[in-house]
Amino acid sequence: MRVTSKGQVTIPRDVRESMGIHPAETEVEFLQDENGRWYLAKAKTTNKTTSRFRTAHKTGKLTMSTDDIMALTRG
C-alpha cells in the first residue's frame, strides 16, 4: 500500500465495512502495543454530533419540490 506525499493511505473497502468505518463520520486512531506493533482502531466517540445536512439527505424524496428540500436543509 502506498503512502501519499501528505501521509495518506486508502483503507480498503472490505476493511472499512468490517470495521464499520464511514466516510466523514468515523474517527480512527493508531495504537501501539508493547511489542511496538501499530494497529488501526475505530475511535470510541462519546459525543456523536450529526450534522443536520447528513440527516436531511435521507429524508428528501423525488416527489418533493426544491423549496421543500431546501426547507429541510435549513432546519
Side-chain angles (χ1 to χ4, degrees):
M1 185 175 299
R2 281 191 199 269
V3 178
T4 69
S5 61
K6 294 168 78 175
Q8 299 170 332
V9 295
T10 300
I11 303 170
R13 178 183 291 161
D14 57 334
V15 174
R16 292 190 315 262
E17 289 173 354
S18 69
M19 293 181 72
I21 296 173
H22 303 286
E25 293 180 10
T26 308
E27 295 284 328
V28 296
E29 59 187 353
F30 293 94
L31 305 172
Q32 190 174 27
D33 69 10
E34 63 278 352
N35 296 321
R37 291 185 182 187
W38 286 93
Y39 296 90
L40 172 72
K42 186 175 170 182
K44 293 178 175 73
T45 56
T46 57
N47 188 11
K48 183 172 179 161
T49 310
T50 304
S51 164
R52 65 180 180 178
F53 299 106
R54 290 226 172 263
T55 58
H57 85 279
K58 296 178 182 176
T59 59
K61 306 284 188 266
L62 293 175
T63 58
M64 297 175 80
S65 70
T66 302
D67 291 333
D68 292 337
I69 293 172
M70 292 303 291
L72 285 173
T73 64
R74 292 190 176 113

